[in-house]
Amino acid sequence: MDVWGGRAVGCRSAEAVARAVGELIGGDGGSVPEYEALLDAVVRLAGRDRGALAAALQPVVEQWPGPYEPQTAAARRLLAVVRSAAGPVEPGPAVAPRWLETCQHEAVDLVLAARAGEVCSLLRRGVAVPMLLATSDSADGTLDPRELVMRLTEYEQAGVRPGPADLGQALLRCGGGPADADVVAAAEELELPEGPRVAAWLRAGGLPQPAPSVEREPGEPEPPSRRRRARVGRRILVGTAELPGRGDFPRPFWSLFRRFEPLIGCTHLLLRSRERHAAAVLPWHPEIVASRLLAQVAATADQNGSSDGSPDFLPALARSAGPAGPAVHLAVAYGLGARPAAGRAAAVEALAELAARGRLDGALLGAGLARLVLLGTLKLPVVTASLRDAAEAPGGAAAVWPVVAAALPELLAAPGAGGPVRPHVPLLTLAADCAAACGARGTVPGVDTLAARPGSAPSAREARRLLRALTASV
């Protein structure tokens, strides 16, 4: 499928858009640029020739009659937009959607739904807008502040007001530091009522980064209950501090700004908000996204390998533009120990993405893996196999080595403290292979003690090989 940029889509016919929309809805929901471009295309074409667009989209609507819905959340949102564009125009005032925040784990999904619902409302009422403000042609969902100001200028010239959810999403996609002075000046010159708010946001550099808090479920670790599927004391989650400015956004956005307390229980595992488009809601704040969806990722490892959501969430999270902290690294850790093979493969891809972008904190990931293994949440053989897959990719040994080096000390010290009965030989083998491949030097606590054990036990043999690699002369 072609990835259509914001203005380039204007030359596409209604029939071409309908074909592309049908493919995306019947598939996996498309990439962020594909989804965003088609959402924007429907809005643009509706303003030019609503009748032709409705006729072209009708076969897509007929393909999904009544209760039949696509498999992915993105495809379901786009189908709702298509149904609104293909249906009759019903003039009237905008009606605020019914909204209920049942838990903060829904925060990202609420924003995605609010924006799609707003687009549906515009189409049902026949309100024409030049384009969607938040459309991003980047895989990570970021939006250039200059582009946003240009789009707002077109809104001003057309005499229309921005949709609150679309503008809110656009602002969340602008970040990474204060915008250029000329962009802020152009925003200040806007005559739209939203101009001063946009200028202030761009001047400040967007939403600040929230302070994280790493928390473990209370209680001594217990095996999962077959009756309740409980995991007492076995998960490590991340909370985030409250952020200012929620009152400037529509109410469905407020959960993103509130303090997030990860140990408060809810029915979040019934949601399907773990998708690639979730990361694009806050591309400069992957920690906010990861913290809200961390319990869903953990469920792929310590419960039944939940099929809700999509494994490509992890690579999308790793591609985010903002800093990767404890929530992102814990998400990758849970993914490396996931039961479904697709989840493990996604975590391996995410690890490689973080390393390629210089955002992988090997010590943080390794420490998290070791802690989760010792809690019994992750299975060490599964994690080791995933790390082996990551190490075998080009340049993978250099990325995996600091992870293994950080995990080994706690795992080697574990016998007698509730951890593995004996050193895990495949992990030692992987460590030695990675150290030799990337030329690592230094020491790893516990390795010399294990290497000094007499005899030819596999664990001692691999420890000696690792020690030789770390102490080899340059």
Side-chain angles (χ1 to χ4, degrees):
M1 181 185 295
D2 293 334
V3 176
W4 302 341
R7 286 185 172 77
V9 79
C11 64
R12 299 284 181 168
S13 67
E15 291 74 15
V17 170
R19 285 195 299 272
V21 164
E23 292 176 11
L24 188 149
I25 292 175
D28 65 355
S31 68
V32 170
E34 289 170 342
Y35 171 85
E36 290 286 331
L38 288 176
L39 200 65
D40 185 62
V42 172
V43 169
R44 289 173 182 261
L45 291 172
R48 289 212 312 259
D49 191 341
R50 175 62 177 266
L53 176 64
L57 292 177
Q58 194 59 41
V60 180
V61 174
E62 293 172 355
Q63 185 180 352
W64 299 94
Y68 296 99
E69 296 286 352
Q71 291 297 310
T72 67
R76 290 192 292 272
R77 289 192 298 270
L78 187 57
L79 177 58
V81 169
V82 166
R83 286 171 171 166
S84 296
V89 174
E90 301 173 354
V95 178
R98 297 180 61 185
W99 173 79
L100 175 64
E101 177 190 348
T102 58
C103 77
Q104 286 188 276
H105 297 88
E106 293 181 289
V108 179
D109 192 57
L110 287 172
V111 173
L112 289 165
R115 182 171 175 240
E118 184 176 88
V119 172
C120 290
S121 177
L122 291 174
L123 293 169
R124 285 195 296 268
R125 293 182 292 120
V127 177
V129 296
M131 78 286 288
L132 290 178
L133 295 172
T135 302
S136 172
D137 59 4
S138 174
D140 61 12
T142 53
L143 178 61
D144 187 341
R146 192 180 304 273
E147 180 66 22
L148 173 58
V149 175
M150 292 174 61
R151 292 173 183 175
L152 285 168
T153 300
E154 292 191 45
Y155 265 66
E156 185 176 284
Q157 293 170 349
V160 296
R161 296 281 300 278
D166 188 32
L167 177 59
Q169 174 64 98
L171 292 176
L172 292 178
R173 287 177 168 171
C174 293
D180 293 341
D182 61 328
V183 176
V184 175
E188 291 174 335
E189 293 175 1
L190 290 170
E191 295 182 3
L192 287 170
E194 293 81 7
R197 174 192 170 199
V198 172
W201 182 272
L202 299 181
R203 188 185 304 109
L207 194 67
Q209 298 291 339
S213 60
V214 180
E215 305 177 36
R216 182 173 74 83
E217 289 178 327
E220 291 301 314
E222 297 180 8
S225 164
R226 291 188 177 181
R227 182 171 61 86
R228 302 189 313 272
R229 295 168 62 190
R231 318 151 318 274
V232 175
R234 300 180 69 194
R235 280 185 181 174
I236 303 172
L237 303 172
V238 178
T240 54
E242 183 177 359
L243 290 170
R246 75 182 187 193
D248 293 331
F249 287 79
R251 287 193 67 185
F253 286 63
W254 287 9
S255 288
L256 295 175
F257 293 78
R258 291 194 176 105
R259 176 190 175 193
F260 176 59
E261 300 176 86
L263 301 185
I264 295 178
C266 65
T267 58
H268 53 265
L269 292 184
L270 301 177
L271 304 178
R272 296 182 178 181
S273 49
R274 194 180 75 249
E275 56 168 318
R276 67 169 71 98
H277 298 277
V281 169
L282 282 160
W284 296 100
H285 299 78
E287 284 293 290
I288 295 179
V289 177
S291 64
R292 267 61 172 184
L293 300 181
L294 194 54
Q296 289 190 45
V297 181
T300 66
D302 67 7
Q303 289 193 0
N304 62 350
S306 171
S307 61
D308 285 350
S310 172
D312 57 15
F313 166 69
L314 290 178
L317 194 66
R319 286 191 292 269
S320 295
V328 170
H329 284 79
L330 276 170
V332 175
Y334 283 118
L336 291 171
R339 295 188 185 184
R344 296 193 299 274
V348 169
E349 182 183 346
L351 192 158
E353 285 279 358
L354 289 173
R357 296 165 184 265
R359 299 168 63 231
L360 176 65
D361 187 331
L364 184 60
L365 178 56
L369 284 170
R371 192 176 179 192
L372 289 169
V373 166
L374 295 177
L375 286 172
T377 311
L378 301 183
K379 303 299 183 183
L380 186 53
V382 176
V383 170
T384 302
S386 296
L387 291 174
R388 170 66 70 180
D389 291 341
E392 290 176 351
V400 171
W401 164 247
V403 178
V404 177
L408 271 175
E410 287 191 61
L411 295 176
L412 291 177
V421 175
R422 61 182 65 87
H424 188 58
V425 175
L427 183 62
L428 287 166
T429 302
L430 174 61
D433 291 345
C434 288
C438 68
R441 299 294 182 269
T443 60
V444 176
V447 171
D448 52 350
T449 302
L450 181 58
R453 290 182 182 179
S456 58
S459 58
R461 185 178 64 246
E462 292 303 318
R464 293 181 198 121
R465 193 164 71 90
L466 173 56
L467 194 60
R468 286 195 298 271
L470 293 176
T471 57
S473 59
V474 179

